[in-house]
Amino acid sequence: MSTSEWKRRNFCMNIESYTTTYTRPVDIKKLDFIHRHLTEAGVRRVLELGCGTGPIAMSLVAKNWQVKGIDVSAECVEVARSHGVDAQVGDAATFREGAPYDAVIMADVLTEVVTPPESLLANAAANLRLGGLLLASTSNGYGWFELTQQRLNPRAYLRRNNTLRRLLGYDPYVRADGERQQWYTRQRVLNMAKAAGFELFDQQNSDFMDGSSSSDIRLADWLPYWAVSGWYFAFHRAR
């Protein structure tokens, strides 16, 4: 195992190292990935597109990065502000204030928006200096979790079937906040990022099943990318 690989698999994995509202091992692993790359790159100014209630941004603020958080939800922005994050309501596909930044974070954003994902990646590039970092995470649309909980789950299928809902007298199904709007393969993510001017330089598997245990997230690092439930990506803006 190379030194860089050893560092990746043993960086922190300790919730007590972060100021965050995250509690699940898979989310702490995501913080490890983000903090490691920001530290190694020596960046200062960070923009998080789709910051939600601020669990990532607050962990960065606590370690003295200059962070701007953007989210479409006013309620989420208020919570993020209560955690000390400089957050404001905005559209991740159009926000440009304060550019260029040294790094942009998009954690689990691409899967949850109706907006064409290409526009989000293009805007991330527009907010970055040349050579700046894009750190992104997304679920594997054909991984274990998605297959068992969504695609091959009869109950989930029936719950979303509007023909059946109409026959039973129910209102049409409407996806709730936080539910998947987009399903990706790894190659589709890489193709979209390349088209937006990004170059991949690091990738890590997130979890195998549901990310609720340390053994699950550690197992994911030894599995092929197609067998896991999600990925973390580190890109440079190449053009």
Side-chain angles (χ1 to χ4, degrees):
M1 183 185 299
S2 67
T3 300
S4 60
E5 181 73 4
W6 185 91
K7 286 173 64 179
R8 189 179 75 176
R9 293 181 177 176
N10 297 275
F11 181 68
C12 180
M13 296 302 212
N14 185 357
I15 190 172
E16 296 178 356
S17 297
Y18 300 112
T19 300
T20 183
T21 54
Y22 277 154
T23 58
R24 299 173 66 237
V26 68
D27 291 323
I28 304 306
K29 184 179 182 180
K30 178 168 57 184
L31 287 184
D32 282 351
F33 185 85
I34 291 170
H35 279 247
R36 174 168 59 85
H37 279 294
L38 294 180
T39 298
E40 290 179 353
V43 306
R44 183 167 180 79
R45 299 181 66 242
V46 181
L47 172 66
E48 184 176 6
L49 296 174
C51 67
T53 57
I56 295 174
M58 65 189 290
S59 77
L60 300 177
V61 170
K63 296 196 175 182
N64 299 316
W65 274 291
Q66 294 181 6
V67 184
K68 182 73 174 182
I70 303 299
D71 200 273
V72 71
S73 167
E75 292 79 8
C76 287
V77 165
E78 285 303 311
V79 175
R81 287 174 176 169
S82 74
H83 292 307
V85 178
D86 177 14
Q88 72 180 64
V89 176
D91 185 343
T94 59
F95 179 83
R96 299 283 177 89
E97 297 175 25
Y101 291 86
D102 300 316
V104 170
I105 297 170
M106 292 200 307
D108 309 316
V109 174
L110 292 172
T111 56
E112 296 180 9
V113 295
V114 178
T115 303
E118 291 84 357
S119 65
L120 296 178
L121 289 164
N123 196 49
N127 275 289
L128 276 172
R129 62 173 173 78
L130 190 64
L133 296 182
L134 170 63
L135 302 177
S137 62
T138 189
S139 62
N140 177 2
Y142 303 88
W144 177 265
F145 182 83
E146 292 294 334
L147 289 175
T148 57
Q149 299 299 313
Q150 299 294 335
R151 296 181 177 276
L152 301 181
N153 186 320
R155 181 178 297 179
Y157 173 78
L158 293 174
R159 180 170 59 89
R160 298 192 303 267
N161 189 300
N162 280 326
T163 299
L164 182 60
R165 292 178 71 90
R166 184 172 62 252
L167 291 174
L168 295 175
Y170 292 119
D171 292 332
Y173 170 71
V174 177
R175 286 177 178 151
D177 289 343
E179 286 192 85
R180 299 286 185 263
Q181 305 287 338
Q182 312 272 351
W183 285 267
Y184 298 104
T185 62
R186 171 181 172 273
Q187 193 58 53
R188 184 185 172 198
V189 174
L190 297 183
N191 288 346
M192 291 190 303
K194 183 177 181 180
F198 291 106
E199 181 179 283
L200 180 73
F201 70 94
D202 192 23
Q203 176 193 312
Q204 187 172 7
N205 296 336
S206 60
D207 55 328
F208 171 50
M209 296 182 67
D210 62 2
S212 61
S213 69
S214 59
S215 59
D216 181 73
I217 62 173
R218 290 186 184 279
L219 173 61
D221 282 331
W222 298 96
L223 294 174
Y225 72 86
W226 51 264
V228 300
S229 288
W231 314 285
Y232 312 133
F233 298 105
F235 299 96
H236 283 134
R237 183 192 162 201
R239 54 177 172 82

